Amino acid sequence: MLALLGVRVAELQSERGRAIPKIECTNAIEALACWLAYRDSHWVSDARLRGRNKFPRNFDGDDGPLYARFRARGFYVTQPMRMASGSAMVPLGLATSSNRRFNTLQTTAEGRAFLDAALDGFRPSNRSMVEHLSQWVGGEKVSVTTGSVSRGLSPCLPLPKIALEHLHCRILAGGVDESANAKARRRSALAWVDRLRTKPPGAPLSWLERPPEVQDDRHWEDLEAGARLLLARDVALQLLDSLEARISHAPAERMTIADAVPGVREEIELLREAADAFLSMRHEDAEANEFCRACASADPATVLRNLCQRDGRVVALVGNLLQPGGPAFRRGMVSNAERESNSVDEPSDTAGAVSVQGADDIEWPKGLSFRLQNLYMLNLELHERLHVRPTTQEGST
């Protein structure tokens, strides 16, 4: 909802003659939503929020949180929730885009109707949330710290039932430009995770047992191929981690490929096995096949050469020498997995975190895309099982 809201607020500003980048506007609104939710929870960590270790605890002066501060580079995390949720808006028919870039998104009538349903009960200063935030983005002096703004934007509170019904319809119907096959696959996946919601499995799920809801064999094969590709990618990142650590302790931070191979031979073999597992499926994805063939070479030195030529960000290959690839090289102090975590929030944010339970309780087929697990969580939300709905409603001022 926040990503769509950011696009709509930027549109309103544009209609009034002030062009605001939609990415900038959306990131600022998402940051405001998280900051308010943290403030209201006395800064308790929560898996549904980001930015806890970056945000100031309060603001000096009478102006409160200003858009200019929330939009500033470095104020919020480098991988906001917008990056994931924004990609779903066009397929669901909530927005259109000429090229799928976030700044080119335009809300549809269905998208605006969803926002109305989600935010109708929240009218700060007797204005719609879109209008109120538009004034905030425009630099006008409006309060964005009230209970109405905080509750309306909070990622930790449930959407109104009418908004959930609207979203459910969009998931089933999809966008006007989406293929019939894509719509059918999403409906099948939703039916599968809904059965898992009502009848939790008593044993680990396996690729050997296609769920009855997924009737298309090709759909199931694509899911498994994607899982095997992600597993190969993860092993490749682990190999780069090991290389990075060894290079950081090498003289002048340089190593030949021949010198590097003995120290990472085990990781190379694991990568070869993971790549072979994908290739054995004979999937038609050209880019995935190219990557896995490069990682499945029988010659360990060739595997290292291929991988570092593709990377260049953490470890670079210059001639026959492996060396730091650039700013991403952290001299063995931070793994690629931790790098990903740090771009979202710092590891200490998980201390004492409020856990969002559900998908983690199921033993999914090995390597299954996180998108299916997210769909499971979204389905819990659609059935009002993800949040505890407040028993009383405070005033909306």
Side-chain angles (χ1 to χ4, degrees), residues 23-24 27 32 54 58 61 80 103 113 124 126-127 131 146 153 202 209 254 269 294 296 308 326 393-394:
I23 287 179
E24 172 192 293
N27 286 354
L32 175 65
K54 296 181 73 71
N58 49 56
N103 276 330
N126 204 30
R127 288 186 287 260
E131 173 61 33
T146 64
L153 299 184
E209 299 179 8
R254 303 288 189 275
E269 183 58 32
C308 294
Q393 179 72 22
E394 300 176 30

Coordinates of all heavy atoms in Angstrom, one line a residue, residues 23-24 27 32 54 58 61 80 103 113 124 126-127 131 146 153 202 209 254 269 294 296 308 326 393-394:
I23 N 10.3 7.7 -6.9 CA 11.1 6.9 -6.0 C 11.4 7.7 -4.7 O 11.2 7.2 -3.6 CB 12.4 6.5 -6.7 CG1 12.1 5.4 -7.7 CG2 13.4 6.0 -5.6 CD1 13.4 4.9 -8.4
E24 N 11.7 9.0 -4.9 CA 12.1 9.8 -3.8 C 10.8 10.0 -2.9 O 10.9 9.9 -1.6 CB 12.5 11.2 -4.3 CG 12.7 12.3 -3.2 CD 12.9 13.6 -3.8 OE1 13.9 13.9 -4.4 OE2 12.0 14.5 -3.6
N27 N 10.0 6.6 -1.1 CA 10.9 6.3 0.0 C 10.7 7.1 1.2 O 10.8 6.7 2.3 CB 12.3 6.5 -0.5 CG 12.8 5.4 -1.5 OD1 12.1 4.4 -1.7 ND2 14.0 5.6 -2.1
L32 N 8.7 7.6 6.7 CA 7.9 8.2 7.7 C 7.0 7.2 8.4 O 6.8 7.2 9.6 CB 7.0 9.3 7.0 CG 5.9 9.9 7.9 CD1 6.6 10.8 9.0 CD2 5.0 10.8 7.1
K54 N 19.0 3.7 11.8 CA 19.3 4.9 11.0 C 18.6 6.1 11.5 O 19.0 7.2 11.3 CB 19.1 4.6 9.5 CG 20.0 3.5 9.0 CD 19.8 3.4 7.5 CE 20.4 4.5 6.7 NZ 21.8 4.5 6.6
N58 N 14.1 11.6 17.7 CA 13.1 12.7 17.7 C 13.7 13.8 16.9 O 14.8 13.7 16.3 CB 12.9 13.2 19.2 CG 14.2 13.4 19.9 OD1 15.0 14.2 19.5 ND2 14.3 12.8 21.1
G61 N 12.9 21.3 17.4 CA 12.1 22.4 16.9 C 10.6 22.0 16.8 O 10.2 20.9 17.1
P80 N 14.6 -0.3 0.4 CA 13.3 -0.1 1.0 C 12.3 -1.2 0.6 O 12.6 -1.9 -0.4 CB 12.9 1.3 0.6 CG 13.6 1.5 -0.7 CD 14.9 0.8 -0.6
N103 N 9.8 5.1 -11.5 CA 9.5 6.5 -11.8 C 8.5 6.7 -12.9 O 8.0 7.8 -13.1 CB 10.7 7.3 -12.1 CG 11.4 7.8 -10.8 OD1 10.8 8.0 -9.7 ND2 12.7 7.9 -10.8
A113 N -8.8 3.1 -6.2 CA -9.9 2.6 -5.4 C -9.4 1.8 -4.2 O -9.9 1.8 -3.1 CB -10.8 1.7 -6.3
P124 N -6.4 12.9 8.4 CA -5.7 13.9 9.3 C -6.1 15.3 8.9 O -6.2 15.7 7.7 CB -4.3 13.6 8.9 CG -4.3 12.9 7.6 CD -5.5 12.1 7.6
N126 N -8.9 16.5 8.8 CA -10.1 16.4 8.0 C -9.8 16.5 6.5 O -10.6 16.9 5.7 CB -11.1 17.6 8.3 CG -12.5 17.2 7.9 OD1 -12.9 16.0 7.9 ND2 -13.3 18.2 7.6
R127 N -8.6 15.9 6.1 CA -8.2 15.8 4.7 C -8.0 14.3 4.4 O -7.7 13.5 5.3 CB -6.9 16.6 4.4 CG -7.1 18.1 4.4 CD -5.8 18.7 4.0 NE -4.7 18.6 5.0 CZ -4.4 19.6 5.8 NH1 -5.0 20.8 5.7 NH2 -3.5 19.5 6.7
E131 N -4.1 13.8 0.1 CA -4.0 15.2 0.1 C -3.1 15.7 1.3 O -2.2 16.6 1.1 CB -5.4 15.9 0.3 CG -5.4 17.4 0.4 CD -4.8 18.1 -0.8 OE1 -4.9 17.6 -1.9 OE2 -4.1 19.2 -0.6
T146 N 0.5 12.8 14.0 CA -0.8 12.5 14.7 C -1.1 11.0 14.6 O -0.6 10.2 13.8 CB -2.0 13.3 14.0 OG1 -2.1 12.8 12.7 CG2 -1.7 14.8 14.0
L153 N -0.7 4.8 8.1 CA 0.5 4.4 7.4 C 1.2 3.1 7.9 O 2.0 2.5 7.3 CB 1.5 5.5 7.3 CG 1.1 6.8 6.7 CD1 2.3 7.8 6.7 CD2 0.6 6.6 5.3
G202 N 2.1 -31.9 7.8 CA 2.7 -32.6 8.9 C 4.1 -33.1 8.7 O 4.7 -33.6 9.5
E209 N 6.7 -34.1 -4.9 CA 5.2 -34.1 -4.8 C 4.6 -32.8 -5.2 O 4.6 -31.8 -4.4 CB 4.8 -34.4 -3.4 CG 5.3 -35.8 -2.9 CD 5.0 -36.1 -1.4 OE1 4.2 -35.3 -0.9 OE2 5.5 -37.1 -0.9
R254 N 46.6 -9.2 -3.5 CA 46.6 -9.8 -4.8 C 46.9 -11.3 -4.7 O 47.7 -11.7 -3.9 CB 47.7 -9.1 -5.7 CG 47.6 -7.6 -5.9 CD 46.4 -7.3 -6.8 NE 46.4 -5.8 -7.1 CZ 45.9 -4.9 -6.4 NH1 45.4 -5.2 -5.2 NH2 45.9 -3.6 -6.8
E269 N 33.8 -27.1 -5.5 CA 33.1 -28.3 -5.8 C 31.7 -28.2 -5.4 O 30.8 -28.7 -6.2 CB 33.8 -29.5 -5.0 CG 33.2 -30.8 -5.2 CD 33.3 -31.2 -6.7 OE1 34.2 -30.9 -7.4 OE2 32.4 -32.0 -7.2
A294 N 29.1 -21.9 -16.7 CA 30.3 -21.3 -16.3 C 30.8 -21.8 -14.9 O 32.0 -21.9 -14.7 CB 30.2 -19.8 -16.3
A296 N 30.1 -24.8 -13.7 CA 30.1 -26.3 -13.7 C 31.4 -26.8 -14.4 O 31.5 -28.1 -14.6 CB 28.9 -26.9 -14.3
C308 N 34.7 -14.7 -11.2 CA 35.2 -13.3 -11.0 C 35.0 -12.4 -12.1 O 34.8 -11.2 -11.9 CB 36.7 -13.4 -10.6 SG 36.9 -14.3 -9.0
G326 N 36.3 -3.3 -5.8 CA 35.8 -1.9 -5.6 C 35.3 -1.7 -4.2 O 35.7 -2.4 -3.3
Q393 N -10.9 1.7 18.5 CA -10.3 2.7 17.6 C -10.2 4.0 18.2 O -11.2 4.6 18.7 CB -11.2 2.8 16.3 CG -10.8 3.7 15.3 CD -9.5 3.2 14.5 OE1 -9.3 2.0 14.5 NE2 -8.8 4.1 13.9
E394 N -9.0 4.6 18.2 CA -8.8 5.9 18.7 C -9.3 7.0 17.8 O -9.6 6.7 16.7 CB -7.3 6.1 19.0 CG -6.6 5.1 19.9 CD -5.2 5.3 20.0 OE1 -4.7 6.4 19.9 OE2 -4.4 4.3 20.3

